[in-house]
């Protein structure tokens, strides 16, 4: 059995990570490692996107 997913939207509150993804920026920081993980995960789906969500707009998630 195979799973077919058309579109996956991933969110981050890290503007640095979002910029790195959208501008093909690489460095030796932790951002680079997370970005590589995102690309690995995203490659499993037909279509994916990374959205930046302001940290103060995502308070419920941070409380949990």
């Amino acid at each position: 059995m195979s799973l077919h997913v058309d579109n996956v939207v991933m969110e981050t509150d890290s503007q640095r990570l979002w910029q790195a993804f959208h501008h093909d920026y690489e460095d030796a920081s932790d951002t680079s490692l997370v970005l590589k993980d995102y690309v690995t995960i995203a490659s499993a789906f037909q279509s994916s996107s990374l959205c930046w969500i302001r940290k103060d707009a995502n308070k419920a998630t941070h409380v949990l």
Side-chain angles (χ1 to χ4, degrees):
M1 178 170 87
S2 65
L3 177 65
H4 176 72
V5 179
D6 288 327
N7 188 27
V8 173
V9 177
M10 297 183 202
E11 298 177 350
T12 181
D13 63 4
S14 169
Q15 191 171 25
R16 184 174 173 193
L17 176 63
W18 182 86
Q19 288 173 336
F21 176 75
H22 288 282
H23 299 291
D24 296 326
Y25 175 77
E26 288 190 34
D27 62 17
S29 71
D30 293 341
T31 302
S32 177
L33 298 174
V34 174
L35 183 59
K36 287 177 185 176
D37 285 345
Y38 169 78
V39 171
T40 300
I41 293 167
S43 67
F45 300 100
Q46 293 285 331
S47 175
S48 66
S49 60
L50 180 65
C51 299
W52 175 65
I53 305 297
R54 290 173 46 128
K55 187 178 271 188
D56 59 351
N58 203 12
K59 288 181 183 178
T61 300
H62 289 281
V63 169
L64 295 174

